[in-house]
């Protein structure tokens, strides 16, 4: 079972014949992709972006191709997933989780192309006619209440029904009294700027001590938040339920987990109200569908994390269309340079805070090599626990 069986009858996509990777440099981060070819002349693409370890994810994807992919039938998605995870002894973690996720996306792209149908037709069909999205990355710049308020108004004017932001600067563990007041003043300014009908999500980036997080849920209560995201480190996952009991707003999280095995403690402890798996980290279509089903058993909803490129946005739309317990999808697409959309030609656009039903076969996205050649990766790094990280100035 954990080896490629070339004696089986092959499906309409043919067998995988080659795997390659590409990385695109942007001001936000380097976006990495895997492109899977078959001997039937088809290509499928998936996103393998890691915010800091582009070289590692690309190298692992290329290495795993020889061990688990070449000669395989793309329609054998469950077996390929198991072969990559179990056969490579990944045991979870970010680099391996990202590679498995991106390859899985590429397999669904290949299957959709082989059958002439959009990928979402293979993942439960559609429960809705379009997908609601929220904006992140819009607050890049000075960390001042007036500056946040101005950028929030401008973002809402583009049609977004919801915004997410981190008002806390470089706070880690605790916040000084001055920094606590500044952070709450930023949230207050954003709420006043956008009015009561726009949903606001506050990002904690998994970095506060329990007493600080408990103080924050009290301070944030007046602003009617849609959720408070990852207020505690996941090393203290058992305290999430305790914090939830104190909070009046929903608690969300889960972007740091890469499969159902890593998610097991989150579900067992009822840590959150809203899970946030990332299609390019949590195992691709094959695994995220399972996570959504388990979340439904726990009366949780799904709001996928997506700090990646428009390819991951597009793939995530295909993934969530068939989820009955889907809430809203994250996007950074409004932060990106125009050439990024040229590089991932066919990515679905955001219009008035929504993305319409896809119509092209597979994911409908092709990678344009010439654009990648013009914008090589920078392999930069910004430390979000350092002062001024919100400017996203990569060095």
């Amino acid at each position: 079972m954990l080896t490629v069986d070339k004696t089986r009858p092959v499906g309409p996509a043919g067998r995988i014949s080659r795997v390659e990777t590409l990385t695109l440099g942007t001001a936000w981060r380097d976006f990495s992709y895997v492109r899977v070819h078959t001997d039937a002349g088809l290509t499928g693409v998936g996103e393998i972006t890691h915010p800091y370890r582009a070289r590692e994810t690309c190298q692992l994807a290329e290495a795993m191709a020889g061990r688990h992919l070449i000669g395989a039938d793309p329609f054998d998605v469950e077996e390929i997933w198991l072969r990559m995870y179990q056969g490579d002894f990944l045991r979870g973690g970010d680099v391996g989780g990202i590679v498995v996720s991106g390859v899985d996306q590429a397999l669904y792209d290949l299957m959709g192309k082989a059958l002439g149908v959009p990928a979402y037709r293979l993942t439960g069909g559609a429960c809705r006619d379009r997908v609601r999205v929220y904006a992140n990355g819009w607050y890049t710049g000075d960390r001042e209440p007036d500056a946040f308020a101005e950028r929030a108004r401008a973002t809402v004017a583009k049609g977004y029904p919801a915004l997410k932001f981190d008002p806390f600067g470089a706070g880690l563990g605790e916040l000084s009294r001055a920094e606590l007041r500044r952070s709450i003043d930023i949230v207050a300014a954003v709420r006043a700027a956008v009015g009561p009908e726009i949903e606001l999500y506050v990002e904690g980036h998994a970095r506060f001590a329990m007493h600080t997080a408990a103080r924050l849920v009290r301070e944030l209560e007046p602003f009617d938040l849609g959720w408070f995201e990852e207020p505690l480190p996941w090393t203290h996952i058992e305290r999430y339920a305790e914090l939830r009991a104190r909070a009046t707003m929903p608690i969300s999280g889960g972007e740091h987990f890469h499969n159902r095995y890593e998610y097991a403690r989150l579900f067992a402890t009822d840590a959150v109200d809203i899970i946030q798996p990332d299609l390019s980290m949590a195992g691709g279509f094959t695994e995220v569908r399972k996570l959504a089903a388990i979340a439904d058993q726990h009366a949780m909803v799904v709001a996928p994390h997506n700090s990646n490129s428009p390819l991951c946005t597009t793939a995530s739309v295909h993934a969530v269309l068939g989820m009955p317990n889907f809430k809203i999808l994250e996007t950074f697409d409004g932060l990106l340079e125009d050439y990024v959309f040229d590089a991932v030609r066919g990515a679905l656009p955001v219009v008035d805070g929504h993305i319409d039903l896809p119509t092209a076969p597979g994911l409908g996205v092709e990678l344009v090599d010439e654009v990648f050649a013009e914008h090589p990766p920078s392999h930069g790094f910004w430390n979000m626990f350092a002062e001024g990280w919100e400017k996203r100035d990569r060095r």
Side-chain angles (χ1 to χ4, degrees):
M1 183 178 181
L2 293 181
T3 60
V4 177
D5 185 354
K6 297 182 181 180
T7 65
R8 283 186 195 157
V10 69
R15 296 188 184 278
I16 296 173
S17 58
R18 185 162 63 95
V19 176
E20 59 182 330
T21 61
L22 302 88
T23 300
L24 181 75
T26 80
W28 162 227
R29 59 179 43 165
D30 294 336
F31 294 130
S32 297
Y33 307 92
V34 61
R35 185 159 55 192
V36 179
H37 300 257
T38 74
D39 57 14
L42 298 175
T43 60
V45 296
E47 182 148 347
I48 55 171
T49 293
H50 190 295
Y52 314 124
R53 292 188 269 278
R55 293 186 185 94
E56 290 87 340
T57 56
C58 289
Q59 288 169 352
L60 181 60
E62 293 166 5
M64 291 181 78
R67 294 195 285 268
H68 307 296
L69 300 177
I70 302 302
D73 183 338
F75 277 80
D76 294 332
V77 288
E78 287 284 353
E79 185 180 16
I80 291 172
W81 200 101
L82 180 63
R83 193 154 58 231
M84 295 178 72
Y85 178 79
Q86 190 74 31
D88 228 65
F89 289 92
L90 289 181
R91 300 297 185 267
D94 56 349
V95 174
I98 288 169
V99 171
V100 171
S101 301
V103 169
D104 192 80
Q105 291 174 33
L107 299 181
Y108 278 87
D109 191 19
L110 284 167
M111 290 191 291
K113 288 175 178 174
L115 297 175
V117 299
Y120 79 85
R121 292 292 185 192
L122 309 174
T123 60
C127 296
R128 51 194 55 85
D129 295 330
R130 58 181 186 164
V131 171
R132 196 167 70 114
V133 302
Y134 69 88
N136 200 346
W138 55 270
Y139 57 97
T140 299
D142 293 332
R143 187 170 159 259
E144 297 294 339
D146 289 346
F148 267 69
E150 180 181 353
R151 291 193 292 272
R153 279 190 292 266
T155 305
V156 168
K158 297 176 183 177
Y160 287 98
L163 308 176
K164 187 168 82 178
F165 60 109
D166 182 332
F168 302 115
L172 177 63
E174 296 182 308
L175 289 170
S176 69
R177 297 183 72 85
E179 282 301 298
L180 175 64
R181 290 269 51 91
R182 186 184 190 188
S183 300
I184 299 303
D185 287 346
I186 287 172
V187 179
V190 172
R191 173 53 80 199
V194 303
E197 299 306 316
I198 299 298
E199 283 201 339
L200 296 182
Y201 310 133
V202 168
E203 167 74 83
H205 279 125
R207 69 186 190 271
F208 293 118
M210 178 64 187
H211 67 277
T212 301
R215 171 75 181 272
L216 287 171
V217 297
R218 294 196 305 272
E219 296 281 354
L220 292 170
E221 182 175 349
F223 307 113
D224 190 22
L225 299 182
W227 69 61
F228 187 10
E229 182 169 332
E230 299 200 325
L232 298 169
W234 288 106
T235 45
H236 306 305
I237 189 172
E238 69 283 349
R239 302 211 71 181
Y240 264 79
E242 179 184 346
L243 187 67
R244 279 184 62 213
R246 302 185 185 201
T248 57
M249 74 286 289
I251 302 297
S252 68
E255 71 185 70
H256 297 285
F257 302 136
H258 304 94
N259 51 60
R260 61 192 181 276
Y261 308 114
E262 292 186 23
Y263 257 94
R265 286 183 63 210
L266 180 149
F267 289 126
T269 58
D270 286 322
V272 299
D273 302 284
I274 302 163
I275 68 165
Q276 297 177 291
D278 189 311
L279 197 73
S280 288
M281 291 193 287
F285 291 98
T286 297
E287 194 72 353
V288 169
R289 288 187 70 198
K290 296 170 183 173
L291 293 173
I294 300 170
D296 188 49
Q297 288 182 314
H298 289 261
M300 299 172 182
V301 296
V302 184
H305 176 265
N306 170 36
S307 61
N308 299 318
S309 83
L311 173 55
C312 188
T313 301
T314 297
S316 297
V317 168
H318 284 271
V320 303
L321 279 169
M323 287 182 190
N325 56 335
F326 165 71
K327 178 176 176 64
I328 194 169
L329 173 65
E330 180 176 22
T331 175
F332 278 74
D333 290 10
L335 177 72
L336 305 177
E337 301 93 334
D338 289 343
Y339 71 78
V340 177
F341 297 89
D342 296 332
V344 290
R345 187 171 57 207
L348 298 170
V350 177
V351 179
D352 292 331
H354 294 80
I355 299 177
D356 288 336
L357 209 64
T359 58
L363 298 179
V365 178
E366 299 296 336
L367 305 181
V368 181
D369 295 52
E370 294 80 7
V371 182
F372 283 78
E374 294 169 1
H375 300 279
S378 66
H379 301 292
F381 172 77
W382 53 268
N383 182 356
M384 66 178 301
F385 297 106
E387 197 68 36
W389 74 264
E390 65 278 358
K391 293 182 172 62
R392 294 182 172 85
D393 183 14
R394 301 171 76 240
R395 302 186 187 280

